[in-house]
Amino acid sequence: MLLQQLINGLTLGAVYTLIALSFSLVMGILGVLNLAIAELFMLGGYCGLTLIIMGHSVWLAVPAAMAVSGVLAVVVERVAYRPLRDAPMIMPLLSTLAFSIIFQNVAVNVWGSDPLQLPDALADARLSLGTASIGIMQLAVIVVTVLLVVALGVIVQSTKLGRGLRAVAENREVARILGAPASRLTTAAFALSGSLAGAAGVLIGFHYAAITPYVGVDTGLKAIAVMVVGGSTRIWGVLIAGPLIGVAEVLSVVYGGSAIRDMVVYGLMILVLLLRPQGVLGGSSMPEGERV
Amino acid sequence: MSTYAAGLSADIGIALLGGLSVYVILATGQLSLGNAAFMAVGAYLASALTVYAGLPLTAALMLAGLASGFLGVLVGFPALRLRGIYLAMATLGFGEMTRSFFLDFAPAGGAGGFRGMGPVSTAYIWAWSASLLVGVVLLERSRLWLEFRAVNDDERAADLIGLNTTAIKVGAFGLGAAIAGVAGGLFAYHQLYIEPGMFGFDRSIEMVLYVVLGGSTVAVGPLLGATLLVLLPEFLRFLADWRLAAFGALLILVLLFRRQGIIDRGMFRGLSRRKWATP
């Protein structure tokens, strides 16, 4: 029973991890909270689930969702972020929010407000693991998450793109002077972040065996909490915070009444902001943050 | 006035108070994305005081404002440690915590909500909204407001010239929260029914939008913003299902082409005898 809950918690945590990484890429590199991510995630989920229902495999659905959300993220960057880069941080916050309003409206009009269900045959297929069992879809969530995290790790740590991103994160102006194409890298950060959100959307569809146009707000806000707990300026703390919060959430539903779970998650987020703003893994300095 | 127009006008009055609550806090350079929480506290408290304890509404609203204001001060102290987007995220977390608190709080009806409030007139709502607006406009003409703005423009310099920046920032939080508390109480009486879902992230964002769209440097900005945003859905009715998308697009356009909001302080410079320092 406990093992079963741990598995459920891990798959939910895997999805949180991906969305938090998506927030964290833009936040850590550009210092901007891209609120459109919540709905890029939802739209990715719809694209992926639509393909699965049409009979395509996970290996087509996830990349397709990533492509759609990645491209839309670039649109968000061009229209809502780039012209407001030097404005107070409240402006990109609200302009990306405006995009999320548009995306949600589009999803409601295209797919309707009823949940889009995963076919029962897929949702119910399970692999037995002794005392516990894992759904095929849950297994897919974990495998895809691991693959994506490894891929992101390789990109950020050992490619030219990754070095550029880290340089811009360190100091945009200095990076530009040293020849990093800062604005192209900004677009790349949004694209990477968007495609991670798109993949996470397909995976949340697997986790709940359904997706609704409203999944973005709730899960997105919680992913912001995961990002903060993991450390908003460093990317890797999220790998611990995501599964931790996923498992904590599932266990609190089973043992502690589901209503306290949000209090726990956001309480933890506020505590981390106040006590260790650099996240549980630490980091060198407290980010000053811009003035409003 | 038809019932329909009266309903919209009451919505504007309540939205104005929501906008003012963000406006006062933002004047000291602090962005709160959790003001719906203060509204929730005011709404539940004013409702409970009148429905359970039989207090007159005006007294209940005053108490609700005071209690929310006190909560605002409590939130304001830890907020001192945070700036910019980090403060925004912390207040967002506070808002979500408060919402889930009420979701779980059985005496207030939990997810089922709370009812029993009687209807109030639009005139009563506007009596509150107009007095608080006048109050904020008067505050803007005071020395205290100059201190608010000094903290906003450069906190370190304000500290160095001997302003008590802690009291100013915490006080602004308390004042904003008190206004939001009154707004919540009026909202509860206008809606006749409240449930935690009404005080989520969307509501907090709406309150910020009134200020940013209307203008965040003068108190009439939130008035214009609240009026426009309450009426806009009515104007966009012909778009039917695509109303929200059109709203999102308009929002982006305003942010791109008029980022200081529709009204700014400069427009008033010619009208006022007082000379403002150029920002």
Side-chain angles (χ1 to χ4, degrees):
Chain A
M1 181 61 191
L2 179 65
L3 189 63
Q4 189 67 59
Q5 296 306 335
L6 282 177
I7 293 175
N8 292 340
L10 278 181
T11 53
L12 184 60
V15 177
Y16 285 157
T17 305
L18 283 183
I19 319 174
L21 279 174
S22 169
F23 274 111
S24 177
L25 261 175
V26 180
M27 180 79 188
I29 292 172
L30 308 164
V32 175
L33 198 55
N34 176 6
L35 287 175
I37 285 174
E39 307 306 334
L40 290 172
F41 155 76
M42 179 272 297
L43 282 181
Y46 267 104
C47 294
L49 250 61
T50 306
L51 285 172
I52 300 257
I53 289 168
M54 285 163 65
H56 295 289
S57 82
V58 174
W59 307 113
L60 177 71
V62 173
M66 289 175 71
V68 170
S69 298
V71 169
L72 289 175
V74 172
V75 174
V76 172
E77 191 263 340
R78 283 291 150 88
V79 178
Y81 172 70
R82 185 169 295 189
L84 295 170
R85 212 190 66 218
D86 301 317
M89 66 87 186
I90 187 173
M91 300 294 160
L93 191 77
L94 293 177
S95 61
T96 55
L97 174 92
F99 260 106
S100 75
I101 295 173
I102 297 176
F103 289 154
Q104 193 181 61
N105 192 220
V106 169
V108 171
N109 285 335
V110 173
W111 285 284
S113 39
D114 293 334
L116 184 67
Q117 307 270 358
L118 207 61
D120 287 347
L122 278 176
D124 296 341
R126 302 190 78 79
L127 270 185
S128 170
L129 299 173
T131 56
S133 69
I134 181 166
I136 297 290
M137 287 291 136
Q138 283 186 308
L139 195 63
V141 172
I142 292 177
V143 171
V144 171
T145 305
V146 170
L147 288 178
L148 286 175
V149 168
V150 170
L152 182 69
V154 171
I155 290 176
V156 170
Q157 292 303 325
S158 13
T159 63
K160 190 158 177 256
L161 171 65
R163 278 195 298 277
L165 289 175
R166 280 182 288 140
V168 174
E170 200 69 47
N171 188 324
R172 187 185 175 95
E173 286 316 308
V174 172
R176 261 165 50 109
I177 292 164
L178 295 178
S183 68
R184 226 179 314 153
L185 286 167
T186 305
T187 310
F190 268 82
L192 270 179
S193 147
S195 50
L196 281 179
V202 186
L203 301 184
I204 200 82
F206 292 170
H207 177 82
Y208 291 129
I211 194 149
T212 77
Y214 310 108
V215 73
V217 181
D218 213 29
T219 317
L221 289 185
K222 218 164 281 169
I224 293 179
V226 171
M227 171 189 74
V228 169
V229 172
S232 52
T233 51
R234 310 177 117 228
I235 292 181
W236 305 112
V238 169
L239 292 187
I240 295 170
L244 199 73
I245 286 185
V247 169
E249 180 168 336
V250 168
L251 290 184
S252 74
V253 173
V254 178
Y255 298 104
S258 62
I260 61 156
R261 75 173 187 210
D262 286 4
M263 307 247 330
V264 173
V265 172
Y266 292 109
L268 204 60
M269 161 175 161
I270 294 175
L271 265 183
V272 169
L273 276 173
L274 291 176
L275 301 177
R276 291 191 64 78
Q278 63 277 55
V280 282
L281 278 190
S284 52
S285 63
M286 153 114 192
E288 260 275 292
E290 302 172 67
R291 288 184 300 120
V292 184
Chain B
M1 200 160 33
S2 68
T3 338
Y4 171 71
L8 279 182
S9 153
D11 285 342
I12 294 174
I14 293 167
L16 163 65
L17 291 183
L20 286 178
S21 79
V22 170
Y23 174 72
V24 171
I25 301 176
L26 196 62
T28 56
Q30 305 180 97
L31 173 64
S32 168
L33 293 183
N35 271 25
F38 300 125
M39 208 174 150
V41 171
Y44 276 101
L45 199 62
S47 307
L49 285 173
T50 46
V51 174
Y52 287 153
L55 235 60
L57 181 57
T58 309
L61 285 173
M62 285 174 178
L63 284 176
L66 278 179
S68 296
F70 180 67
L71 182 65
V73 169
L74 289 187
V75 172
F77 274 106
L80 291 171
R81 288 178 60 99
L82 301 169
R83 308 243 176 292
I85 194 83
Y86 297 94
L87 174 63
M89 289 193 291
T91 51
L92 182 160
F94 165 71
E96 287 300 295
M97 273 183 90
T98 310
R99 189 177 62 86
S100 52
F101 167 78
F102 281 113
L103 215 46
D104 195 31
F105 188 57
F114 189 91
R115 59 187 82 228
M117 293 75 85
V120 283
S121 69
T122 304
Y124 181 77
I125 291 176
W126 266 102
W128 274 97
S129 305
S131 350
L132 286 171
L133 176 63
V134 169
V136 174
V137 170
L138 288 178
L139 175 67
E140 277 185 321
R141 313 226 130 220
S142 70
R143 182 189 154 79
L144 183 61
W145 194 257
L146 290 177
E147 296 185 1
F148 272 40
R149 286 190 47 215
V151 171
N152 177 33
D153 292 345
D154 191 333
E155 193 179 337
R156 212 161 281 160
D159 198 28
L160 284 174
I161 60 165
L163 296 182
N164 187 346
T165 55
T166 302
I168 290 169
K169 291 176 81 176
V170 172
F173 242 104
L175 183 59
I179 298 176
V182 173
L186 290 170
F187 176 81
Y189 264 79
H190 179 55
Q191 299 285 328
L192 305 177
Y193 162 76
I194 47 175
E195 48 123 345
M198 292 171 163
F199 306 104
F201 181 61
D202 301 359
R203 177 79 56 192
S204 294
I205 284 285
E206 243 174 54
M207 293 159 127
V208 174
L209 284 179
Y210 300 143
V211 179
V212 172
L213 288 187
S216 54
T217 49
V218 274
V220 284
L223 174 62
L224 180 73
T227 311
L228 283 181
L229 283 185
V230 170
L231 295 182
L232 199 60
E234 309 299 320
F235 290 136
L236 295 178
R237 198 157 280 236
F238 69 98
L239 291 168
D241 290 347
W242 294 96
R243 216 161 58 171
L244 283 169
F247 169 67
L250 274 176
L251 177 55
I252 293 173
L253 288 177
V254 174
L255 289 171
L256 289 183
F257 297 109
R258 186 87 194 151
R259 65 171 72 159
Q260 71 275 45
I262 296 168
I263 301 184
D264 65 3
R265 204 183 287 129
M267 290 183 180
F268 285 81
R269 206 168 282 147
L271 299 176
S272 149
R273 280 186 296 119
R274 179 117 160 233
K275 291 283 169 273
W276 296 97
T278 20

